[in-house]
Amino acid sequence: MTDGILTPDQILTAAQDVLRRYGPAKATVVDVARALGVSHGSVYRHFPSKAALREAVTQRWLDESHTLLTAVMAADGPADVRLRAWLSALFAAKRKKALGDPELFATYTVLVGEASQVIERHIADLVGQLQQIITTGLAKGELVTSDPAATARAVFDATIRFHDPVHAADWDQPGIEDAFDTLCTLIWLGLSPR
Amino acid sequence: MTDGILTPDQILTAAQDVLRRYGPAKATVVDVARALGVSHGSVYRHFPSKAALREAVTQRWLDESHTLLTAVMAADGPADVRLRAWLSALFAAKRKKALGDPELFATYTVLVGEASQVIERHIADLVGQLQQIITTGLAKGELVTSDPAATARAVFDATIRFHDPVHAADWDQPGIEDAFDTLCTLIWLGLSPR
């Protein structure tokens, strides 16, 4: 492969393969360069350090759940429908990652543990989307809150069992869908006008 | 020490000391017996196996949070006050354990991971107490739900960030009390009659 056509996304894909193959403790930038057939200098041209590369690959993995969420954000509709669709999309995306490829999920769990700023930004993004749904619903009189930002965080916290990877072991347990539905209903009742 | 006065509680206290000193991977029944100055047979008379002893010591540790909760359960009052008092007492008890003695907390986190039946029973107990508060409030017309058991579980799930040890690292973060308060308010609004 010539360096001319090397894109950041190709590097991230190769880095993910290398991380999966060698594990987060052993994977190096040289391994990534070798997998791409380029010099490690070519990798460093896009990512200035091993830490930067690991953060970027973690960021991309976290953002994968955003595709579904972006679709929900783009769609119109009543706040209760949008809120539940958003929470369901997040749960579905996280669950798919955890149960669909447990080995890669375990790898990323290690990486996420190292990348506190990346995860903080990820959570801030997600809470921001919730806040947008809440603010739109508030303007339309579909829900009530005196503090949309704090309420968005409370909704995020309230559903943590259904999106935080530390709870992944629960996600294929019987009754988990019902538990999620009951919780979503309780949250909506907490927001809706009386 | 003579065997005649050896109580299960003394054994559990000694077992906790031994676990703290040697760590859960290395601690043995012989270590516990030695710490008590008795034969290991004397320990086995009360706890038929090492696993049974470890489960009992885990159970006792988990039940320590129940003292505060029992006081809340015994007190009369409106459902919103009782619910918030109960959730606060649980959060306070868990936080005290996690932050007050982090080393012992880490030891018990390992033990809890081994003792799935003990932890299931513990959670069932806690959800049962929530259900009692909800059922009493329902009878007095203070709250609304069509399924007190499912709602109790939803309240437990909704507050998981504030009682599950996997989230202990958040418990001394700034703003955690406000986040807890906002969430409790949201939950209560979800339950209260419209």
Side-chain angles (χ1 to χ4, degrees):
Chain A
M1 182 181 284
T2 66
D3 281 23
I5 58 158
L6 190 64
T7 66
D9 210 56
Q10 285 173 322
I11 297 175
L12 295 178
T13 300
Q16 176 170 303
D17 290 344
V18 164
L19 282 162
R20 183 205 292 273
R21 208 172 329 138
Y22 301 108
K26 288 191 184 160
T28 67
V29 173
V30 171
D31 296 326
V32 176
R34 191 177 299 133
L36 288 162
V38 301
S39 70
H40 62 272
S42 309
V43 175
Y44 283 123
R45 208 164 299 140
H46 291 277
F47 299 98
S49 66
K50 180 176 165 182
L53 177 57
R54 287 166 82 104
E55 278 190 12
V57 82
T58 306
Q59 179 82 60
R60 190 180 69 161
W61 185 72
L62 288 170
D63 287 348
E64 277 169 21
S65 47
H66 283 211
T67 324
L68 275 162
L69 299 177
T70 307
V72 175
M73 294 308 291
D76 259 345
D80 60 335
V81 174
R82 292 184 81 213
L83 185 67
R84 194 179 280 253
W86 191 91
L87 292 170
S88 299
L90 183 62
F91 183 26
K94 296 278 186 179
R95 183 155 59 165
K96 193 176 152 203
K97 282 187 195 173
L99 306 180
D101 193 340
E103 204 186 309
L104 190 64
F105 188 75
T107 297
Y108 275 108
T109 302
V110 174
L111 292 178
V112 165
E114 291 169 3
S116 61
Q117 286 190 318
V118 172
I119 186 76
E120 267 170 39
R121 217 157 40 221
H122 176 68
I123 291 177
D125 274 0
L126 294 175
V127 174
Q129 293 187 20
L130 277 173
Q131 188 178 339
Q132 223 176 299
I133 294 173
I134 289 169
T135 306
T136 306
L138 188 62
K140 290 160 75 183
E142 293 167 343
L143 59 83
V144 179
T145 170
S146 58
D147 186 340
T151 300
R153 179 72 215 204
V155 172
F156 190 77
D157 284 350
T159 50
I160 208 163
R161 187 181 178 214
F162 302 97
H163 55 70
D164 190 321
V166 296
H167 296 291
D170 292 352
W171 296 346
D172 59 354
Q173 294 300 302
I176 192 79
E177 280 292 343
D178 287 344
F180 178 71
D181 280 344
T182 307
L183 178 55
C184 287
T185 302
L186 179 67
I187 289 170
W188 179 253
L189 286 171
L191 290 174
S192 59
R194 24 208 71 229
Chain B
M1 182 181 283
T2 66
D3 283 22
I5 58 156
L6 189 63
T7 65
D9 211 54
Q10 285 172 321
I11 297 174
L12 295 178
T13 300
Q16 176 169 304
D17 290 343
V18 163
L19 281 162
R20 182 204 291 272
R21 206 171 330 138
Y22 300 107
K26 289 191 184 160
T28 67
V29 172
V30 171
D31 295 327
V32 176
R34 191 176 302 131
L36 289 162
V38 302
S39 70
H40 62 273
S42 309
V43 176
Y44 283 124
R45 209 166 298 140
H46 291 277
F47 299 99
S49 66
K50 180 176 165 182
L53 177 57
R54 287 166 83 103
E55 278 189 13
V57 83
T58 306
Q59 178 83 61
R60 190 181 68 160
W61 185 72
L62 288 170
D63 287 348
E64 276 168 22
S65 48
H66 283 212
T67 324
L68 276 162
L69 299 176
T70 307
V72 175
M73 295 307 292
D76 260 344
D80 61 336
V81 174
R82 293 184 79 213
L83 186 67
R84 195 179 279 254
W86 191 92
L87 292 171
S88 299
L90 183 61
F91 183 26
K94 296 279 185 178
R95 185 155 57 164
K96 193 176 153 202
K97 282 186 193 175
L99 306 180
D101 193 340
E103 204 185 310
L104 190 64
F105 189 74
T107 297
Y108 275 108
T109 302
V110 173
L111 291 177
V112 165
E114 290 169 2
S116 62
Q117 286 190 319
V118 171
I119 186 76
E120 268 171 38
R121 216 156 43 220
H122 175 66
I123 291 177
D125 274 0
L126 293 175
V127 174
Q129 293 186 21
L130 278 173
Q131 187 177 340
Q132 225 176 297
I133 294 173
I134 289 169
T135 306
T136 306
L138 188 63
K140 290 160 75 184
E142 294 166 341
L143 58 85
V144 179
T145 170
S146 57
D147 187 339
T151 299
R153 178 73 215 203
V155 172
F156 190 77
D157 284 350
T159 50
I160 208 164
R161 187 180 178 216
F162 303 97
H163 55 69
D164 190 321
V166 295
H167 296 290
D170 293 352
W171 296 346
D172 60 355
Q173 295 300 301
I176 193 77
E177 280 292 344
D178 287 344
F180 177 71
D181 279 346
T182 308
L183 179 55
C184 286
T185 302
L186 179 67
I187 290 170
W188 178 253
L189 286 171
L191 290 173
S192 59
R194 22 209 73 227

